[in-house]
Amino acid sequence: MTATGHGDERAAGGAVVPRIGVGATAVALVVMAALAWTAWPDLPAAIDNDESGVGPHGGTTPRGLLVAAMPLTLVGIGALFLALAAVGHTLRPHLPGALRGSARGTRAAGDAVMASMALLLAPLHGVLVLNAAGGDLPVALVVGLSVGSGLVLLGLLLPRVQRLRTPEDGIGLILARNARPTGVAVAGVGAVQIVTVFFTDDVLLASLPPLLLVPAMFGAFVWPFLRHGLRMRAAERVNRG
């Protein structure tokens, strides 16, 4: 491990904590709690799933479960990343260089994912709770904007995260070389999601753009190898000429 990596771990005081991600999670939980507190008196004891869009059709969801679902999901994601950071800190000295990464890269990855999830789940929680309490918020618009913004943020952060991993060989180098096109692909899908919600208020249509992530990320992974092959062919043609 490099001297920079050692200094980074000492500064972190042990296991790497994604402070920005934890902060974003805390802010989102406060917002969720405030929305739940505001809407609670107007929530029926059991919410019709056909109206809320939560749970199986024809059934009902207790208001306590509706209010707690998104906050608990966000807390679970945060706890998972903190646990992974602790495990990664413990195992890092025993991993091959290709998988080891760096403490800064681990923290940045946690920050990116946790902040993106906070940006996604807080608006979704607000729409579900306030609409169940009698509101009429545009579900497709709010959810689409939150999903799109989360994807754009994640796409912008991916290249920075991968640069901080300081890979030495193997799969680490492959991921590093693909970080920028992958980030562009993810952010591009997020932009498509944001644009889509301004042209339709149908929830199903507005939820389709994330399906583009699979072909977009596959294309981003293949592109550097394809570009390298094209350059090699061009160089061969020049040499023949």
Side-chain angles (χ1 to χ4, degrees):
M1 186 176 293
T2 63
T4 303
H6 283 301
D8 184 57
E9 291 191 8
R10 284 197 298 269
V16 177
V17 177
R19 297 185 182 90
I20 295 175
V22 171
T25 298
V27 171
L29 288 174
V30 170
V31 172
M32 288 177 173
L35 290 170
W37 179 270
T38 301
W40 185 264
D42 298 319
L43 286 172
I47 292 92
D48 190 324
N49 293 342
D50 293 335
E51 295 182 2
S52 68
V54 178
H57 291 293
T60 59
T61 300
R63 61 178 177 177
L65 178 59
L66 181 74
V67 166
M70 295 302 167
L72 288 178
T73 300
L74 190 58
V75 169
I77 292 171
L80 175 62
F81 269 89
L82 291 178
L84 289 175
V87 171
H89 174 73
T90 302
L91 296 180
R92 185 176 291 112
H94 309 290
L95 293 174
L99 301 176
R100 189 176 300 149
S102 70
R104 293 176 65 201
T106 300
R107 180 190 298 125
D111 286 337
V113 175
M114 291 173 69
S116 297
M117 292 307 299
L119 188 61
L120 167 62
L121 294 180
L124 181 57
H125 170 84
V127 167
L128 292 176
V129 171
L130 295 178
N131 279 358
D136 190 26
L137 294 174
V139 177
L141 179 63
V142 175
V143 175
L145 288 177
S146 63
V147 171
S149 299
L151 290 175
V152 169
L153 174 62
L154 187 60
L156 292 176
L157 292 177
L158 275 175
R160 179 174 181 272
V161 170
Q162 198 57 52
R163 283 200 301 271
L164 293 174
R165 287 181 57 82
T166 59
E168 297 175 14
D169 52 25
I171 192 171
L173 274 179
I174 294 175
L175 292 175
R177 290 168 180 168
N178 284 274
R180 185 177 296 278
T182 300
V184 170
V186 173
V189 173
V192 171
Q193 173 72 85
I194 292 173
V195 171
T196 299
V197 298
F198 288 105
F199 290 93
T200 180
D201 57 358
D202 185 279
V203 176
L204 178 60
L205 291 177
S207 64
L208 292 179
L211 297 177
L212 297 173
L213 279 172
V214 174
M217 294 184 69
F218 177 78
F221 185 82
V222 171
W223 169 244
F225 299 99
L226 178 62
R227 182 176 60 183
H228 177 72
L230 292 174
R231 287 178 175 176
M232 293 291 293
R233 292 186 62 180
E236 290 177 359
R237 289 174 182 173
V238 170
N239 292 333
R240 290 172 184 173

